[in-house]
């Protein structure tokens, strides 16, 4: 296991948000966290990334405790948050510069990955000159510069239109395999979770806990025809049942 969260609990004042949550991520896996808005998924991500201290429990990266320590995992929010006044190259290199690397060295290191991320030729452009899909690729590369083992992605594809989202999803899976990146991501899209995930955690309750874990058996990449298969519909039916049990009508 590359990442483990063990018995995580968190309260804000008198409100208990998370209660005894344990999840894990194996090397090379893409694991989804599903739950309604406000259930505490982002709070859990903040704890995993070291931005927030848990009241109880611990976080391990490759068996080394990183609880409360930021800078070990890469973390990308829903919006790309590219700085409009900086070139794409300087946006991508920014985490390295903030970590203390000299600008020239940071640019050289970041530029090494531009071709692999399908961004070659965009180095001197500005974010406004990129399509939505290309902006998301740049944001994902910048995220990778923050930490090259585990990525935490909070609804990374939700802002894209359907066709662009499908293309970026397929691209991300291929790049993730090439660079041996393990991913934990949040989504509210059940279809997306089934299509991309190796496993899905269902998060529910108040305070929130992990109510179910679902393994998606089909090998990846999963073709578009998988969305029409009996297996896909069975997974979707089961997840909706789990969500309905926890939350009522979704």
């Amino acid at each position: 296991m590359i990442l483990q969260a063990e018995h995580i609990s968190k309260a804000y004042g008198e409100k208990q948000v998370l209660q005894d949550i344990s999840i894990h991520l194996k090397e090379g896996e893409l694991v989804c966290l599903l739950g309604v808005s406000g259930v505490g998924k982002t709070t859990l991500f903040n704890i995993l990334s070291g931005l927030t201290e848990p009241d109880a429990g611990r976080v391990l990266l490759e068996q080394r405790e990183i609880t409360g320590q930021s800078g070990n995992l890469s973390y990308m929010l829903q919006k790309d948050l590219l700085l409009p006044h900086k070139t794409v190259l300087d946006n991508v290199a920014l985490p390295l510069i903030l970590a203390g690397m000299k600008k020239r060295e940071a640019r050289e290191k970041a530029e090494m990955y531009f071709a692999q991320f399908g961004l070659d030729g965009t180095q001197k452009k500005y974010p406004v000159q990129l399509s939505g899909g290309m902006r998301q690729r740049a944001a994902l590369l910048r995220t990778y510069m923050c930490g090259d083992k585990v990525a935490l992605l909070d609804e990374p594809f939700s802002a894209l239109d359907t066709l662009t989202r499908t293309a970026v999803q397929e691209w991300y899976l291929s790049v993730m395999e090439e660079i041996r990146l393990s991913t934990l991501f949040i989504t509210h899209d059940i279809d997306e979770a089934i299509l991309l995930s190796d496993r899905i955690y269902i998060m529910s309750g108040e305070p929130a806990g992990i109510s179910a874990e679902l393994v998606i058996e089909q090998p990846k990449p999963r073709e578009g025809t998988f969305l029409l298969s009996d297996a896909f519909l069975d997974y979707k039916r089961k997840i909706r049942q789990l969500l309905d049990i926890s939350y009522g009508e979704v």
Side-chain angles (χ1 to χ4, degrees), residues 88 111 114-115 118-125 130 134:
V88 175
E111 193 166 16
F114 266 66
L119 289 166
D120 207 18
T122 69
Q123 288 90 329
K124 295 182 179 180
K125 292 184 178 181
L130 302 185
M134 294 296 277

Side-chain angles (χ1 to χ4, degrees), residues 1-3 24-31 62 148-151 172-184 196-199 220 222:
M1 296 183 193
I2 193 166
L3 180 68
H24 69 273
L25 180 68
K26 297 176 184 176
E27 186 175 357
E29 270 192 319
L30 192 150
V31 174
E62 296 182 310
D148 60 1
K149 295 182 183 294
V150 176
Y172 184 75
L173 288 178
S174 65
V175 168
M176 187 180 145
E177 185 175 353
E178 283 180 28
I179 62 180
R180 301 181 62 81
L181 183 65
S182 307
T183 303
L184 184 64
L196 300 182
S197 300
D198 296 294
R199 291 182 294 114
K220 294 187 292 185
R222 298 171 187 136

Side-chain angles (χ1 to χ4, degrees), residues 28-32 153 155-158 165-174 176 183-187 189-200 214 216-223 226-227 232 235:
E29 270 192 319
L30 192 150
V31 174
C32 170
L153 307 181
E155 296 196 76
F157 311 121
S158 61
R165 183 166 64 245
T166 300
V168 174
Q169 287 170 345
E170 292 174 355
W171 163 81
Y172 184 75
L173 288 178
S174 65
M176 187 180 145
T183 303
L184 184 64
F185 83 113
I186 290 171
T187 181
D189 187 328
I190 295 174
D191 290 8
E192 178 178 67
I194 299 170
L195 189 63
L196 300 182
S197 300
D198 296 294
R199 291 182 294 114
I200 298 171
L214 185 66
I216 309 299
E217 301 285 357
Q218 281 68 20
K220 294 187 292 185
R222 298 171 187 136
E223 303 296 334
F226 174 63
L227 293 170
F232 175 84
Y235 286 128

